[in-house]
Amino acid sequence: MIFGYSTNAFVEVSLLEAIEQIAGLGFKGVELMGDRPHLYPPDVDKEGLEQIKAALARHHLKPTNINSFTLFAVGDTYLPSWIEPEPARRRIRIDHTLSCLDVAAALGCGCISVPPGGPLNGMARKEAMALFYQGLEQVVPRAEALGVQILVEPEPHLMLERTEEFLGFIKDIRSPRVGINFDIGHFFCAGEDPARSFETLFEWIGHVHLEDIGRDRVHQHLIPGLGAIDFDAVFDTMADLGYRGDISLELYPYTDRPLAAGQESLAHLRPVFRRSRLGLEV
């Protein structure tokens, strides 16, 4: 189990600089932003991938996940999505996912995280879910061939947001290469107890995002310790269940001070991890 820091907090510097700075903070892993300005696949050739691999090796960092959620290079945080009415827009999301799978395999990263479709923008849920399944059918064979997991990340106000919605989705998935990127804060935003949600969804969890959320449950990522999430309860549940996957700190709102945010997070989380029995050293 490795604790990493997502490069999406480091968009003011290059990916190679972000890797160096994250290693300097003492993290053992790094989640790579699969979008501009860092690792948007069309921008990275074979030589560029070799440079990234060399930087990871030099700084002894494990790539915990390729975060392919956003598409700022051609759209925004959510769009193009899996469920847009226009086939050409859905094709952009499908092709991006295929490329991120290839990049993950090349870097020795075991998973990529993807959005769950949405916002719905008036589309019926049944129609939207059918489009989502159609899109996944076009990327799952590549994931299976490469041995890389596709981890759907439930997100506030998107098609899949809550535990029951993910359960309804995953029951019709027949591939072991499809799972969930469990974002602790997102389930808290949805009004749920993240520890209980983790227990219910455990068999599909391939990677975890960590951030704090305020008591009002508004979707605003905070430095751990500044919000209201009971991390002791979440980590104890993870330990009891035997979770051995990786965890990545995701603090994209702190692009003006990612180093300080990382340091403050570690200061708060070190004693919490020690109490948790997870066996995670940070």
Side-chain angles (χ1 to χ4, degrees):
M1 179 187 295
I2 296 293
F3 187 41
Y5 194 178
S6 179
T7 69
N8 63 10
F10 292 79
V11 294
E12 299 300 323
V13 300
S14 71
L15 177 57
L16 295 181
E17 290 174 302
I19 288 171
E20 181 177 3
Q21 291 183 18
I22 288 169
L25 287 169
F27 285 88
K28 304 301 182 186
V30 57
E31 179 186 71
L32 302 168
M33 180 184 182
D35 195 0
R36 288 179 183 160
H38 286 166
L39 190 52
Y40 182 55
D43 294 342
V44 185
D45 57 16
K46 185 176 180 180
E47 181 180 354
L49 285 175
E50 289 301 319
Q51 290 177 344
I52 295 167
K53 286 180 66 174
L56 294 171
R58 184 165 62 252
H59 295 292
H60 307 289
L61 286 178
K62 176 187 178 182
T64 57
N65 181 48
I66 305 292
N67 188 334
S68 60
F69 196 111
T70 64
L71 257 174
F72 295 123
V74 294
D76 59 27
T77 304
Y78 305 129
L79 305 175
S81 88
W82 300 97
I83 65 169
E84 291 189 76
E86 301 84 0
R89 298 277 293 173
R90 300 197 300 272
R91 187 73 239 174
I92 293 172
R93 172 58 67 180
I94 291 165
D95 289 343
H96 179 62
T97 303
L98 290 169
S99 296
C100 286
L101 286 167
D102 290 340
V103 166
L107 295 178
C109 182
C111 56
I112 71 169
S113 54
V114 302
L120 288 170
N121 290 332
M123 180 179 287
R125 178 172 289 274
K126 183 177 181 180
E127 178 185 1
M129 192 66 75
L131 291 175
F132 190 24
Y133 285 134
Q134 288 173 20
L136 287 174
E137 286 173 357
Q138 298 179 68
V139 299
V140 166
R142 181 80 59 88
E144 292 175 340
L146 295 173
V148 177
Q149 283 187 292
I150 299 172
L151 302 178
V152 178
E153 181 179 338
E155 170 94 359
H157 311 302
L158 297 188
M159 186 173 65
L160 301 181
E161 179 179 7
R162 298 173 177 84
T163 298
E164 289 304 317
E165 291 168 348
F166 185 84
L167 290 173
F169 153 76
I170 199 68
K171 67 180 176 59
D172 291 322
I173 296 292
R174 299 291 177 257
S175 174
R177 288 297 170 187
V178 179
I180 184 171
N181 182 47
F182 188 95
D183 190 299
I184 294 170
H186 289 181
F187 284 94
F188 187 78
C189 289
E192 300 189 7
D193 174 355
R196 183 172 297 177
S197 298
F198 194 97
E199 184 173 7
T200 301
L201 299 172
F202 175 63
E203 66 179 283
W204 297 285
I205 297 173
H207 180 260
V208 170
H209 270 171
L210 187 157
E211 74 280 340
D212 216 339
I213 298 291
R215 195 169 300 279
D216 58 7
R217 298 184 185 250
V218 171
H219 184 209
Q220 175 69 20
H221 288 210
L222 300 174
I223 293 168
L226 299 184
I229 293 178
D230 184 351
F231 287 110
D232 284 282
V234 178
F235 296 153
D236 280 347
T237 296
M238 293 167 70
D240 290 343
L241 292 169
Y243 177 71
R244 301 306 303 163
D246 296 328
I247 304 172
S248 295
L249 180 69
E250 193 188 28
L251 294 179
Y252 57 82
Y254 294 88
T255 57
D256 59 333
R257 55 187 188 99
L259 290 172
Q263 290 169 338
E264 292 172 34
S265 298
L266 287 173
H268 177 77
L269 290 170
R270 282 191 177 107
V272 183
F273 279 130
R274 282 197 294 268
R275 291 194 299 267
S276 73
R277 311 185 312 280
L278 268 176
L280 184 61
E281 294 184 11
V282 294

